Amino acid sequence: MERNMIIAVAVAFILIFSAGAAFILMSDDTTNNRTVSIVGKVNSEGSGIFVVDSPELKDLTADIDAYNLDAQKALWHNLVFMTPGPGSIQHEMLRTFVEQTLEMNFLQNRTIKTEPHTVYWAQVAPGQMELSFKNLGYHGGITWEPWFSQIILGDNNAREVARSADLSPGHPCCMIVVDDDFLKNNKELVLRFMLAYVHAVGWVNEALAQGTGEMYESLINYAWITAYAGTGSVPAETRSIIESALKHTTFGYELDGLRGFIAEIAEAWEEAGRITQSINNYWAFADNLINYDIYHNIKFNIDALIENYMNTDGQPAAGTVRLGLLQNDLHQIAVNIANLSTFSGSPVEGKSLFEVYGVNVVTVDPQLNGNFVMNLFATGSIDIGVLGLPPTLLRSANGI
């Protein structure tokens, strides 16, 4: 398989995951069906595959043009990789690479591995991967930042196989997802939430562009809080990890260009049997998954909206949002910054950006992966969630 085809397949399989929502979630009470919509992007790229740095695996690569495909299959066969689990974009990315590029099986780890031409996976929380890699004999893994940088930069005898940008340049990763009933009844509140979030994204990107100085140092500290629940000064070794992680992640809220990816991946997944319900029109399916209303409103009217909705005079909150997040995920730093009462970029000292824009945010316990955040939607436990894309697409198309 030529590399341009490899990239095309990876892009199709990964980017679509980002595309949006309006999908059915069913709890144990199947009469309580819910739908959600994606209203904004969180980040692009920012994940990676690592493997044990050993002479036996020195030629293992994700760039199969560099080596003979049969030779790569022999190297990958019987290896066990950690992933955050089904429902995470990282799991789906590795699965796609193994099945589509290597043309091998991708199966859950078993004690006795007898299947031919197979790469195995085991579900491990990203924050536990480093310890598991050292002590439990896994050959490698795929995870999000900052855990990927921590593993390859630390004393772990690990090396980089590929970053997600190598497999799928510019791929969207995490999204902001809203319960449709909540959105229908609270459009202004969701708009306020997104304005605060967009404000935080702009601050993050400005700090990254400066690369030094007060804003940049604050960003490093906020990343320390977001990913590590850190307090006090950032340790030097952790700082280098954070800087690597931020360097390889692109932050933004834009939804432009997602429709085509959704249609393409929906068709590919149905053909592959991943989607079990028939989709009559993939473009219509894509249109149902994305809610552009608030995004376009912000994109074309942001100055007026800020003037109208920024609350600097101590007025009470317009309403409450129950928010679901992922554990220790640096991708979500802008959301976390918007929720910090100590944020140095807040227009009102001592108030978070969410508060400034009139939103009272109540966060639930952070979740292991996106599938668990989806479960919170299914049970009506959250109004807005920040999560990866595969569970959104799969549970949308399959109606489960």
Side-chain angles (χ1 to χ4, degrees):
M1 185 182 296
E2 296 181 358
R3 181 157 180 80
N4 61 348
M5 185 176 294
I6 296 169
I7 293 176
V9 170
V11 168
F13 271 79
I14 300 306
L15 288 183
I16 182 62
F17 299 145
S18 65
F23 74 127
I24 296 173
L25 288 169
M26 296 176 66
S27 64
D28 291 337
D29 178 5
T30 56
T31 64
N32 188 24
N33 296 341
R34 297 176 181 272
T35 63
V36 302
S37 294
I38 288 182
V39 296
K41 186 173 68 175
V42 173
N43 74 291
S44 301
E45 304 177 347
S47 299
I49 303 171
F50 62 92
V51 72
V52 62
D53 190 8
S54 68
E56 295 79 13
L57 298 179
K58 65 181 178 64
D59 291 334
L60 186 141
T61 179
D63 181 4
I64 64 169
D65 276 359
Y67 296 91
N68 178 275
L69 178 56
D70 289 337
Q72 280 301 305
K73 288 182 177 180
L75 289 173
W76 285 82
H77 175 56
N78 264 350
L79 298 186
V80 183
F81 284 80
M82 298 173 286
T83 84
S88 69
I89 195 169
Q90 293 75 22
H91 180 92
E92 295 299 333
M93 181 175 287
L94 183 57
R95 182 193 64 79
T96 299
F97 172 75
V98 170
E99 293 181 353
Q100 301 295 320
T101 302
L102 294 178
E103 301 173 351
M104 298 176 69
N105 300 315
F106 190 57
L107 301 178
Q108 192 165 11
N109 185 28
R110 293 170 173 80
T111 303
I112 301 176
K113 296 180 285 294
T114 59
E115 294 85 349
H117 310 298
T118 298
V119 176
Y120 294 89
W121 62 270
Q123 181 169 332
V124 178
Q128 297 299 316
M129 282 191 184
E130 184 176 27
L131 186 62
S132 298
F133 182 64
K134 286 181 176 181
N135 298 326
L136 298 181
Y138 293 116
H139 299 101
I142 182 169
T143 190
W144 58 65
E145 294 287 10
W147 308 115
F148 177 71
S149 289
Q150 178 166 314
I151 290 169
I152 64 170
L153 294 178
D155 184 20
N156 296 306
N157 194 36
R159 69 171 179 86
E160 175 183 321
V161 174
R163 291 185 181 270
S164 57
D166 299 323
L167 295 175
S168 179
H171 74 85
C173 184
C174 289
M175 291 282 152
I176 294 183
V177 182
V178 183
D179 178 271
D180 276 334
D181 284 341
F182 184 82
L183 177 58
K184 179 181 178 180
N185 297 317
N186 300 275
K187 290 181 180 178
E188 180 183 305
L189 188 59
V190 176
L191 174 61
R192 289 173 178 269
F193 180 97
M194 288 300 297
L195 283 169
Y197 165 67
V198 170
H199 190 145
V201 171
W203 187 92
V204 168
N205 286 326
E206 183 178 350
L208 284 172
Q210 292 184 8
T212 187
E214 184 177 347
M215 282 182 68
Y216 184 75
E217 293 304 316
S218 294
L219 177 63
I220 298 299
N221 186 63
Y222 297 143
W224 168 233
I225 296 170
T226 295
Y228 296 93
T231 58
S233 300
V234 183
E237 62 274 16
T238 306
R239 180 189 177 93
S240 65
I241 291 166
I242 289 172
E243 290 185 313
S244 172
L246 292 172
K247 177 182 177 182
H248 291 96
T249 306
T250 301
F251 302 95
Y253 69 97
E254 300 83 359
L255 291 173
D256 298 327
L258 294 180
R259 182 172 180 259
F261 290 116
I262 296 174
E264 184 176 356
I265 196 61
E267 182 176 7
W269 272 28
E270 187 173 13
E271 290 177 354
R274 297 277 288 166
I275 292 175
T276 58
Q277 304 294 323
S278 177
I279 299 175
N280 294 325
N281 185 314
Y282 298 108
W283 290 96
F285 174 77
D287 288 334
N288 286 332
L289 294 179
I290 307 173
N291 187 314
Y292 283 110
D293 292 347
I294 289 178
Y295 165 61
H296 284 156
N297 195 6
I298 292 175
K299 181 177 180 180
F300 297 114
N301 304 290
I302 189 165
D303 291 338
L305 291 172
I306 289 175
E307 182 177 353
N308 287 339
Y309 290 111
M310 184 182 286
N311 174 11
T312 59
D313 57 3
Q315 294 296 314
T320 297
V321 168
R322 298 170 300 165
L323 179 64
L325 300 169
L326 298 177
Q327 293 178 1
N328 308 115
D329 190 350
L330 193 61
H331 296 169
Q332 301 181 4
I333 187 170
V335 179
N336 282 276
I337 282 175
N339 202 31
L340 286 176
S341 61
T342 56
F343 175 48
S344 62
S346 175
V348 180
E349 185 177 357
K351 286 188 176 292
S352 72
L353 285 177
F354 286 133
E355 291 174 319
V356 169
Y357 284 93
V359 184
N360 176 43
V361 170
V362 177
T363 57
V364 303
D365 291 338
Q367 302 296 299
L368 175 64
N369 61 35
N371 203 42
F372 287 97
V373 177
M374 291 298 189
N375 290 340
L376 295 177
F377 277 120
T379 57
S381 301
I382 58 174
D383 307 308
I384 296 179
V386 186
L387 63 152
L389 307 172
T392 304
L393 177 61
L394 287 176
R395 294 173 75 160
S396 168
N398 290 332
I400 57 175

